[in-house]
Short mmCIF file of all heavy atoms in Angstrom, two decimals:
data_model
loop_
_atom_site.label_atom_id
_atom_site.label_comp_id
_atom_site.label_asym_id
_atom_site.label_seq_id
_atom_site.Cartn_x
_atom_site.Cartn_y
_atom_site.Cartn_z
N THR C 5 13.85 -27.92 -15.87
CA THR C 5 13.45 -27.92 -14.47
C THR C 5 12.39 -26.87 -14.22
O THR C 5 12.24 -25.94 -14.99
CB THR C 5 14.65 -27.59 -13.55
OG1 THR C 5 15.25 -26.39 -14.05
CG2 THR C 5 15.66 -28.71 -13.49
N GLY C 13 12.52 -29.06 -3.75
CA GLY C 13 11.12 -28.99 -4.19
C GLY C 13 10.33 -27.89 -3.52
O GLY C 13 9.11 -27.84 -3.61
N ALA C 15 9.02 -24.05 -2.89
CA ALA C 15 8.75 -22.88 -3.71
C ALA C 15 9.69 -21.74 -3.35
O ALA C 15 9.99 -21.51 -2.18
CB ALA C 15 7.31 -22.44 -3.51
N GLY C 54 -23.75 0.07 -23.78
CA GLY C 54 -23.52 -0.12 -22.36
C GLY C 54 -22.06 -0.40 -22.04
O GLY C 54 -21.22 -0.60 -22.93
N ASP C 55 -21.78 -0.43 -20.74
CA ASP C 55 -20.40 -0.50 -20.27
C ASP C 55 -19.86 -1.92 -20.14
O ASP C 55 -18.77 -2.10 -19.58
CB ASP C 55 -20.31 0.15 -18.87
CG ASP C 55 -20.33 1.67 -18.91
OD1 ASP C 55 -20.22 2.26 -20.01
OD2 ASP C 55 -20.44 2.27 -17.83
N ARG C 70 -1.84 -6.18 -11.26
CA ARG C 70 -1.92 -6.86 -9.96
C ARG C 70 -1.33 -8.27 -9.99
O ARG C 70 -1.35 -8.97 -8.96
CB ARG C 70 -3.38 -6.94 -9.49
CG ARG C 70 -4.12 -5.61 -9.47
CD ARG C 70 -3.53 -4.67 -8.44
NE ARG C 70 -3.75 -5.16 -7.12
CZ ARG C 70 -4.88 -4.98 -6.43
NH1 ARG C 70 -5.86 -4.28 -6.95
NH2 ARG C 70 -5.01 -5.46 -5.23
N GLU C 114 4.45 -13.24 -19.80
CA GLU C 114 3.38 -14.15 -20.23
C GLU C 114 2.26 -14.22 -19.20
O GLU C 114 1.07 -14.24 -19.54
CB GLU C 114 3.92 -15.57 -20.45
CG GLU C 114 4.96 -15.71 -21.52
CD GLU C 114 6.37 -15.68 -20.97
OE1 GLU C 114 6.78 -14.60 -20.47
OE2 GLU C 114 7.04 -16.71 -21.03
N ILE C 115 2.62 -14.34 -17.94
CA ILE C 115 1.60 -14.57 -16.92
C ILE C 115 0.72 -13.32 -16.72
O ILE C 115 -0.47 -13.44 -16.40
CB ILE C 115 2.27 -15.06 -15.60
CG1 ILE C 115 1.25 -15.70 -14.68
CG2 ILE C 115 3.02 -13.97 -14.90
CD1 ILE C 115 0.80 -17.07 -15.14
N LEU C 126 -13.61 -13.28 -16.57
CA LEU C 126 -14.35 -13.38 -15.31
C LEU C 126 -15.26 -12.17 -15.13
O LEU C 126 -16.37 -12.29 -14.58
CB LEU C 126 -13.39 -13.50 -14.12
CG LEU C 126 -12.61 -14.81 -14.01
CD1 LEU C 126 -11.46 -14.67 -13.01
CD2 LEU C 126 -13.53 -15.97 -13.59
N VAL C 135 -28.26 -13.23 -15.85
CA VAL C 135 -29.10 -13.81 -16.90
C VAL C 135 -28.57 -15.13 -17.44
O VAL C 135 -29.25 -15.82 -18.19
CB VAL C 135 -29.31 -12.83 -18.09
CG1 VAL C 135 -30.01 -11.55 -17.61
CG2 VAL C 135 -28.00 -12.49 -18.78
N ARG C 137 -25.99 -18.18 -15.99
CA ARG C 137 -25.00 -18.75 -15.07
C ARG C 137 -24.12 -19.81 -15.72
O ARG C 137 -23.10 -20.19 -15.16
CB ARG C 137 -25.70 -19.38 -13.87
CG ARG C 137 -25.86 -18.40 -12.76
CD ARG C 137 -26.02 -18.98 -11.43
NE ARG C 137 -26.31 -17.87 -10.55
CZ ARG C 137 -27.49 -17.27 -10.49
NH1 ARG C 137 -28.51 -17.69 -11.22
NH2 ARG C 137 -27.66 -16.23 -9.68
N GLY C 138 -24.53 -20.28 -16.88
CA GLY C 138 -23.82 -21.41 -17.49
C GLY C 138 -22.66 -21.03 -18.39
O GLY C 138 -22.07 -21.92 -19.03
N VAL C 140 -19.11 -20.40 -20.05
CA VAL C 140 -17.88 -21.18 -19.87
C VAL C 140 -16.69 -20.41 -20.46
O VAL C 140 -16.77 -19.92 -21.58
CB VAL C 140 -18.00 -22.55 -20.57
CG1 VAL C 140 -16.69 -23.35 -20.44
CG2 VAL C 140 -19.17 -23.35 -20.00
N ILE C 141 -15.61 -20.34 -19.66
CA ILE C 141 -14.37 -19.71 -20.13
C ILE C 141 -13.44 -20.81 -20.61
O ILE C 141 -13.17 -21.76 -19.87
CB ILE C 141 -13.70 -18.90 -19.00
CG1 ILE C 141 -14.65 -17.78 -18.53
CG2 ILE C 141 -12.37 -18.32 -19.47
CD1 ILE C 141 -14.22 -17.11 -17.23
N ASP C 142 -12.97 -20.68 -21.84
CA ASP C 142 -12.17 -21.74 -22.46
C ASP C 142 -10.91 -21.17 -23.10
O ASP C 142 -10.85 -19.97 -23.38
CB ASP C 142 -12.99 -22.42 -23.56
CG ASP C 142 -13.48 -23.80 -23.15
OD1 ASP C 142 -12.89 -24.40 -22.24
OD2 ASP C 142 -14.47 -24.27 -23.75
N GLN C 143 -9.98 -22.08 -23.36
CA GLN C 143 -8.79 -21.73 -24.14
C GLN C 143 -8.06 -20.49 -23.64
O GLN C 143 -7.68 -19.62 -24.43
CB GLN C 143 -9.17 -21.58 -25.62
CG GLN C 143 -9.64 -22.90 -26.21
CD GLN C 143 -10.09 -22.75 -27.66
OE1 GLN C 143 -9.38 -22.22 -28.49
NE2 GLN C 143 -11.28 -23.24 -27.97
N VAL C 144 -7.87 -20.43 -22.34
CA VAL C 144 -6.99 -19.41 -21.78
C VAL C 144 -5.57 -19.88 -22.08
O VAL C 144 -5.11 -20.87 -21.50
CB VAL C 144 -7.21 -19.25 -20.26
CG1 VAL C 144 -6.30 -18.16 -19.70
CG2 VAL C 144 -8.67 -18.96 -19.95
N GLN C 145 -4.92 -19.22 -23.01
CA GLN C 145 -3.64 -19.74 -23.46
C GLN C 145 -2.75 -18.66 -24.04
O GLN C 145 -3.22 -17.63 -24.50
CB GLN C 145 -3.87 -20.83 -24.53
CG GLN C 145 -4.66 -20.33 -25.72
CD GLN C 145 -5.11 -21.47 -26.64
OE1 GLN C 145 -5.08 -22.64 -26.25
NE2 GLN C 145 -5.52 -21.14 -27.84
N LYS C 149 5.01 -15.09 -27.56
CA LYS C 149 5.87 -14.27 -26.71
C LYS C 149 7.11 -13.84 -27.51
O LYS C 149 7.60 -14.60 -28.37
CB LYS C 149 6.28 -14.98 -25.42
CG LYS C 149 7.25 -16.12 -25.62
CD LYS C 149 7.85 -16.63 -24.31
CE LYS C 149 9.00 -15.79 -23.85
NZ LYS C 149 10.25 -16.01 -24.62
N SER C 154 14.76 -17.21 -24.05
CA SER C 154 14.14 -18.31 -24.82
C SER C 154 13.60 -17.82 -26.16
O SER C 154 13.16 -18.62 -26.98
CB SER C 154 13.02 -18.96 -24.00
OG SER C 154 11.95 -18.05 -23.81
N ARG C 159 2.22 -20.10 -30.78
CA ARG C 159 1.40 -21.30 -30.73
C ARG C 159 1.23 -21.88 -32.13
O ARG C 159 1.00 -21.13 -33.05
CB ARG C 159 0.02 -20.98 -30.16
CG ARG C 159 -0.87 -22.20 -29.97
CD ARG C 159 -2.04 -21.89 -29.07
NE ARG C 159 -1.56 -21.63 -27.72
CZ ARG C 159 -1.34 -22.59 -26.82
NH1 ARG C 159 -1.59 -23.84 -27.11
NH2 ARG C 159 -0.88 -22.28 -25.63
N THR D 5 -32.43 -8.93 -17.05
CA THR D 5 -31.60 -7.75 -17.27
C THR D 5 -30.21 -7.97 -16.68
O THR D 5 -30.02 -8.81 -15.81
CB THR D 5 -32.18 -6.49 -16.59
OG1 THR D 5 -32.46 -6.81 -15.23
CG2 THR D 5 -33.45 -6.02 -17.28
N GLY D 13 -27.34 1.98 -19.37
CA GLY D 13 -26.28 1.06 -19.78
C GLY D 13 -24.96 1.34 -19.08
O GLY D 13 -23.93 0.80 -19.46
N ALA D 15 -22.24 1.18 -16.03
CA ALA D 15 -21.89 0.24 -14.98
C ALA D 15 -22.15 0.83 -13.60
O ALA D 15 -21.90 2.00 -13.35
CB ALA D 15 -20.41 -0.13 -15.10
N LYS D 50 11.27 -36.45 -9.28
CA LYS D 50 12.09 -35.47 -8.59
C LYS D 50 11.32 -34.49 -7.69
O LYS D 50 11.76 -34.17 -6.60
CB LYS D 50 12.87 -34.68 -9.66
CG LYS D 50 13.90 -33.75 -9.09
CD LYS D 50 14.88 -33.28 -10.15
CE LYS D 50 14.18 -32.48 -11.23
NZ LYS D 50 15.14 -31.60 -11.94
N GLY D 54 7.14 -31.75 -3.94
CA GLY D 54 7.38 -30.33 -4.13
C GLY D 54 6.14 -29.49 -3.89
O GLY D 54 5.03 -30.00 -3.71
N ASP D 55 6.35 -28.18 -3.91
CA ASP D 55 5.31 -27.24 -3.51
C ASP D 55 4.38 -26.82 -4.65
O ASP D 55 3.58 -25.90 -4.47
CB ASP D 55 5.96 -25.96 -2.97
CG ASP D 55 6.51 -26.11 -1.55
OD1 ASP D 55 6.21 -27.13 -0.91
OD2 ASP D 55 7.22 -25.20 -1.11
N ARG D 70 -9.49 -11.80 -2.73
CA ARG D 70 -9.19 -10.57 -3.47
C ARG D 70 -10.21 -10.27 -4.57
O ARG D 70 -10.05 -9.29 -5.31
CB ARG D 70 -7.79 -10.66 -4.10
CG ARG D 70 -6.68 -11.00 -3.15
CD ARG D 70 -6.45 -9.89 -2.13
NE ARG D 70 -5.99 -8.68 -2.75
CZ ARG D 70 -4.70 -8.43 -3.04
NH1 ARG D 70 -3.78 -9.33 -2.75
NH2 ARG D 70 -4.35 -7.30 -3.58
N GLU D 114 -20.49 -16.99 -6.48
CA GLU D 114 -20.04 -17.70 -7.67
C GLU D 114 -18.74 -17.15 -8.22
O GLU D 114 -17.84 -17.89 -8.63
CB GLU D 114 -21.09 -17.62 -8.79
CG GLU D 114 -22.42 -18.23 -8.47
CD GLU D 114 -23.42 -17.21 -7.97
OE1 GLU D 114 -23.21 -16.67 -6.86
OE2 GLU D 114 -24.41 -16.94 -8.68
N ILE D 115 -18.64 -15.82 -8.28
CA ILE D 115 -17.48 -15.23 -8.94
C ILE D 115 -16.21 -15.46 -8.11
O ILE D 115 -15.11 -15.59 -8.65
CB ILE D 115 -17.76 -13.73 -9.24
CG1 ILE D 115 -16.76 -13.18 -10.26
CG2 ILE D 115 -17.77 -12.88 -8.00
CD1 ILE D 115 -17.01 -13.66 -11.66
N LEU D 126 -3.79 -20.45 -13.21
CA LEU D 126 -2.73 -19.53 -13.65
C LEU D 126 -1.44 -19.76 -12.87
O LEU D 126 -0.34 -19.65 -13.41
CB LEU D 126 -3.18 -18.07 -13.49
CG LEU D 126 -4.28 -17.58 -14.45
CD1 LEU D 126 -4.85 -16.24 -13.98
CD2 LEU D 126 -3.74 -17.45 -15.88
N VAL D 135 9.13 -25.02 -18.46
CA VAL D 135 9.27 -26.26 -19.23
C VAL D 135 8.13 -26.48 -20.22
O VAL D 135 8.21 -27.37 -21.06
CB VAL D 135 9.37 -27.51 -18.31
CG1 VAL D 135 10.59 -27.40 -17.41
CG2 VAL D 135 8.11 -27.72 -17.49
N ARG D 137 5.34 -23.98 -22.26
CA ARG D 137 4.61 -22.72 -22.49
C ARG D 137 3.23 -22.94 -23.12
O ARG D 137 2.43 -22.02 -23.16
CB ARG D 137 5.40 -21.80 -23.42
CG ARG D 137 6.31 -20.93 -22.64
CD ARG D 137 6.72 -19.71 -23.35
NE ARG D 137 7.69 -19.05 -22.47
CZ ARG D 137 8.95 -19.46 -22.32
NH1 ARG D 137 9.42 -20.47 -23.02
NH2 ARG D 137 9.74 -18.83 -21.46
N GLY D 138 3.00 -24.15 -23.63
CA GLY D 138 1.77 -24.39 -24.39
C GLY D 138 0.57 -24.84 -23.56
O GLY D 138 -0.48 -25.16 -24.11
N VAL D 140 -2.85 -25.15 -21.58
CA VAL D 140 -4.11 -24.48 -21.89
C VAL D 140 -5.07 -24.65 -20.70
O VAL D 140 -5.24 -25.75 -20.19
CB VAL D 140 -4.76 -25.09 -23.16
CG1 VAL D 140 -6.12 -24.43 -23.43
CG2 VAL D 140 -3.85 -24.91 -24.36
N ILE D 141 -5.68 -23.54 -20.30
CA ILE D 141 -6.69 -23.57 -19.24
C ILE D 141 -8.07 -23.60 -19.89
O ILE D 141 -8.39 -22.75 -20.72
CB ILE D 141 -6.57 -22.33 -18.31
CG1 ILE D 141 -5.19 -22.30 -17.66
CG2 ILE D 141 -7.68 -22.34 -17.25
CD1 ILE D 141 -4.86 -20.99 -16.95
N ASP D 142 -8.87 -24.59 -19.52
CA ASP D 142 -10.16 -24.80 -20.17
C ASP D 142 -11.26 -24.99 -19.14
O ASP D 142 -10.99 -25.30 -17.98
CB ASP D 142 -10.09 -26.08 -21.03
CG ASP D 142 -10.04 -25.77 -22.52
OD1 ASP D 142 -10.45 -24.67 -22.92
OD2 ASP D 142 -9.57 -26.65 -23.27
N GLN D 143 -12.50 -24.83 -19.64
CA GLN D 143 -13.67 -25.16 -18.83
C GLN D 143 -13.68 -24.53 -17.45
O GLN D 143 -13.98 -25.19 -16.46
CB GLN D 143 -13.81 -26.69 -18.73
CG GLN D 143 -14.07 -27.32 -20.10
CD GLN D 143 -14.19 -28.82 -20.04
OE1 GLN D 143 -14.95 -29.38 -19.26
NE2 GLN D 143 -13.42 -29.49 -20.87
N VAL D 144 -13.35 -23.25 -17.42
CA VAL D 144 -13.54 -22.49 -16.18
C VAL D 144 -15.04 -22.21 -16.09
O VAL D 144 -15.60 -21.45 -16.88
CB VAL D 144 -12.75 -21.16 -16.22
CG1 VAL D 144 -12.94 -20.39 -14.91
CG2 VAL D 144 -11.27 -21.42 -16.49
N GLN D 145 -15.70 -22.89 -15.19
CA GLN D 145 -17.16 -22.82 -15.19
C GLN D 145 -17.75 -23.12 -13.81
O GLN D 145 -17.14 -23.78 -12.98
CB GLN D 145 -17.72 -23.82 -16.21
CG GLN D 145 -17.29 -25.24 -15.95
CD GLN D 145 -17.66 -26.18 -17.11
OE1 GLN D 145 -17.98 -25.74 -18.21
NE2 GLN D 145 -17.62 -27.47 -16.86
N LYS D 149 -24.43 -23.88 -7.48
CA LYS D 149 -24.58 -22.83 -6.46
C LYS D 149 -25.78 -23.16 -5.58
O LYS D 149 -26.78 -23.72 -6.05
CB LYS D 149 -24.71 -21.45 -7.07
CG LYS D 149 -26.03 -21.19 -7.75
CD LYS D 149 -26.25 -19.74 -8.12
CE LYS D 149 -26.77 -18.94 -6.96
NZ LYS D 149 -28.20 -19.20 -6.62
N ARG D 159 -24.95 -27.50 -12.90
CA ARG D 159 -24.66 -27.68 -14.32
C ARG D 159 -25.23 -28.99 -14.80
O ARG D 159 -25.10 -29.99 -14.13
CB ARG D 159 -23.15 -27.65 -14.57
CG ARG D 159 -22.75 -27.73 -16.04
CD ARG D 159 -21.31 -27.34 -16.23
NE ARG D 159 -21.13 -25.92 -15.93
CZ ARG D 159 -21.33 -24.94 -16.82
NH1 ARG D 159 -21.69 -25.23 -18.07
NH2 ARG D 159 -21.18 -23.69 -16.46
#
Side-chain angles (χ1 to χ4, degrees):
Chain C
T5 51
D55 283 350
R70 307 294 294 276
E114 298 96 292
I115 197 74
L126 290 166
V135 299
R137 269 203 187 76
V140 177
I141 300 168
D142 254 339
Q143 295 177 51
V144 181
Q145 58 191 15
K149 71 168 278 285
S154 67
R159 184 164 293 274
Chain D
T5 51
K50 187 165 64 158
D55 283 349
R70 307 294 295 276
E114 299 96 292
I115 196 73
L126 289 167
V135 299
R137 271 202 185 76
V140 177
I141 300 169
D142 253 339
Q143 296 179 53
V144 181
Q145 58 190 15
K149 72 169 277 287
R159 184 165 293 274

